[in-house]
Amino acid sequence: MLSLRLLRRYQLVTDLVLAGIFGLLALAVELASTEPSALENIGACVMVVAFTGAVALRRLSPGLALSLAWAGALLQMGLGREPSPTDMAIFAVLYTTAAYGSRRVFWTGFASAVGGAVLVTLYLVVRRLTSPVQPNDVFAIFAILLAAAFALLLAWVTGALVRTAMRAAENSRAQRLAEAETIAEQQRVRIARDMHDVVAHSLAVVIAQADGARYAAAADPDAATAALATISTTARAALTDVRQLLTQLRHTQAEGPQPRLTDLDALYAHVRAAGVELSVDVDPAPPGEPPAAIQLAVYRILQEALTNALRHGVDRHVDVHLGWLPDRVELTVRNARVDGPSQPSGGHGLIGMRERAQLVGGRLTAEPQGRFFVVRATLPVGAPQ
């Protein structure tokens, strides 16, 4: 209850300066209202010190400030003194117990406001009581109780409202930070997925070309030279893509250019250069310019599906079909499959394709059908741009 809160230096200095000014003014007021006796002056000074300490510590330690305020109030009543402007310290302390105090201090401040109103009422009534209480005095007593309770609880409720506002601001700030972290994480996952797609596809082409060049080197040097040229072109393109993705990791606010439908021809050329007999059928054609997210999803799904076909297919023939319907695009990639453990079933590539389809509200299946392995995706298009 008497724990200290962390304050900035300027806050601590401000509280100490205000408490010093308050103490000097309160001391002047109290000494001016006391009778010229040493005991009265000493009591007034001790009371002012207690209230001044409460004002000084009200934000640093609301619980300790509340204890000092109670000590000053009880001393004031013990000395039989009248209420004075010095009692304003009580309102400041009640405010800070509600605004900055722990849960225990928070409710202790509420109890102090209620108990203080009752105690002040009894003190004032008893101090002025010269005869037994008459029925007409009940209304006056009730009015004093109501006024004291209103004043003390008003200070506490104001602090409680400020506490609620500060917590709402903290929650909003934490929510914004969490949302920013979520967006950043999604961005990192997307970039990692792009990195996987680029590297996996390019390495598959490079490996296929290297194997072909190794077998053809002795019989057909020109084929080996062409394969090496394809390897060089593919590697350079992959290096450029990887550098763009790493740039996005360093500067996430600078989005690099994303693949579009116009880049599919280059993708098909890479796959054909790797020795794949690629058959592409686009029917019907896109009615307009599809959304960029759909174009990116189509490109990445095709890239991964063709890479898997290149790595795992038993022959070099792959069929691709794209059907751009008014409300959706249907994508199919089919190739002869390998029986046994070599056939992909749940690797990162297939997971990435499913995630890309789900991100744009579509669905994707990748499963064996007879002697073929078929990747089939349906993505909603919406209104063409």
Side-chain angles (χ1 to χ4, degrees), residues 223-382:
T225 301
L228 292 174
T230 301
I231 290 173
S232 176
T233 302
T234 302
R236 283 193 177 94
L239 182 60
T240 300
D241 290 340
V242 168
R243 283 174 173 169
Q244 287 180 351
L245 293 172
L246 292 178
T247 300
Q248 291 183 49
L249 283 175
R250 289 192 296 267
H251 310 284
T252 55
Q253 72 277 11
E255 291 288 343
Q258 296 296 330
R260 305 177 69 85
L261 295 183
T262 54
D263 298 309
L264 287 178
D265 290 337
L267 175 64
Y268 298 151
H270 279 162
V271 175
R272 290 189 177 104
V276 173
E277 297 178 9
L278 184 61
S279 174
V280 179
D281 176 36
V282 181
D283 184 28
E289 181 74 8
I294 299 298
Q295 297 189 52
L296 175 61
V298 168
Y299 183 93
R300 292 305 188 194
I301 291 173
L302 275 174
Q303 184 182 49
E304 184 61 38
L306 292 174
T307 301
N308 286 339
L310 182 61
R311 294 170 58 190
H312 302 288
V314 295
D315 62 25
R316 293 300 185 181
H317 187 77
V318 179
D319 294 321
V320 173
H321 173 74
L322 280 171
W324 293 91
L325 303 174
D327 60 338
R328 68 189 185 279
V329 55
E330 295 182 349
L331 181 156
T332 304
V333 179
R334 187 179 69 169
N335 65 282
R337 69 187 182 95
V338 176
D339 294 325
S342 298
Q343 182 65 37
S345 59
H348 293 292
L350 299 184
I351 294 173
M353 287 192 293
R354 291 192 181 97
E355 287 181 354
R356 288 191 180 278
Q358 292 172 359
L359 283 175
V360 295
R363 62 182 184 275
L364 181 141
T365 59
E367 58 189 4
Q369 294 182 0
R371 67 183 187 89
F372 297 100
F373 189 82
V374 180
V375 175
R376 183 175 286 108
T378 300
L379 311 177
V381 174

Side-chain angles (χ1 to χ4, degrees), residues 177-193 249 252 355 359:
L177 290 176
E179 290 175 351
E181 181 62 27
T182 299
I183 293 173
E185 182 62 25
Q186 292 174 348
Q187 179 78 342
R188 288 191 291 267
V189 170
R190 183 189 66 79
I191 293 173
R193 188 69 64 201
L249 283 175
T252 55
E355 287 181 354
L359 283 175

Side-chain angles (χ1 to χ4, degrees), residues 20-41:
I21 296 174
F22 170 82
L24 293 176
L25 295 177
L27 185 62
V29 170
E30 295 299 330
L31 292 179
S33 62
T34 58
E35 297 180 1
S37 66
L39 183 61
E40 287 288 337
N41 290 336

Side-chain angles (χ1 to χ4, degrees), residues 34-220:
T34 58
E35 297 180 1
S37 66
L39 183 61
E40 287 288 337
N41 290 336
I42 292 175
C45 290
V46 173
M47 182 189 71
V48 169
V49 168
F51 280 132
T52 302
V55 172
L57 300 175
R58 69 189 190 280
R59 287 198 294 181
L60 182 64
S61 178
L64 181 58
L66 184 63
S67 300
L68 290 174
W70 268 109
L74 293 175
L75 180 60
Q76 182 182 28
M77 288 185 287
L79 295 173
R81 301 180 64 84
E82 291 284 345
S84 68
T86 307
D87 297 325
M88 296 297 296
I90 297 174
F91 299 104
V93 171
L94 287 175
Y95 168 85
T96 53
T97 57
Y100 307 113
S102 63
R103 183 178 180 84
R104 186 177 178 182
V105 173
F106 178 83
W107 290 112
T108 302
F110 174 77
S112 298
V114 176
V118 175
L119 189 61
V120 167
T121 302
L122 293 176
Y123 173 73
L124 293 178
V125 170
V126 171
R127 179 178 173 81
R128 291 174 171 77
L129 190 65
T130 57
S131 61
V133 178
Q134 302 297 322
N136 294 335
D137 298 330
V138 174
F139 178 77
I141 295 173
F142 180 76
I144 294 174
L145 176 63
L146 187 61
F150 177 80
L152 296 175
L153 285 174
L154 179 62
W156 183 88
V157 169
T158 303
L161 292 176
V162 171
R163 182 193 192 95
T164 302
M166 289 190 298
R167 288 195 172 183
E170 291 176 0
N171 291 338
S172 178
R173 186 162 50 249
Q175 183 178 1
R176 288 195 300 270
L177 290 176
E179 290 175 351
E181 181 62 27
T182 299
I183 293 173
E185 182 62 25
Q186 292 174 348
Q187 179 78 342
R188 288 191 291 267
V189 170
R190 183 189 66 79
I191 293 173
R193 188 69 64 201
D194 287 345
M195 186 83 75
H196 170 271
D197 294 343
V198 169
V199 173
H201 171 74
S202 300
L203 288 181
V205 173
V206 167
I207 291 170
Q209 289 293 306
D211 289 341
R214 181 162 53 89
Y215 292 128
D220 189 357

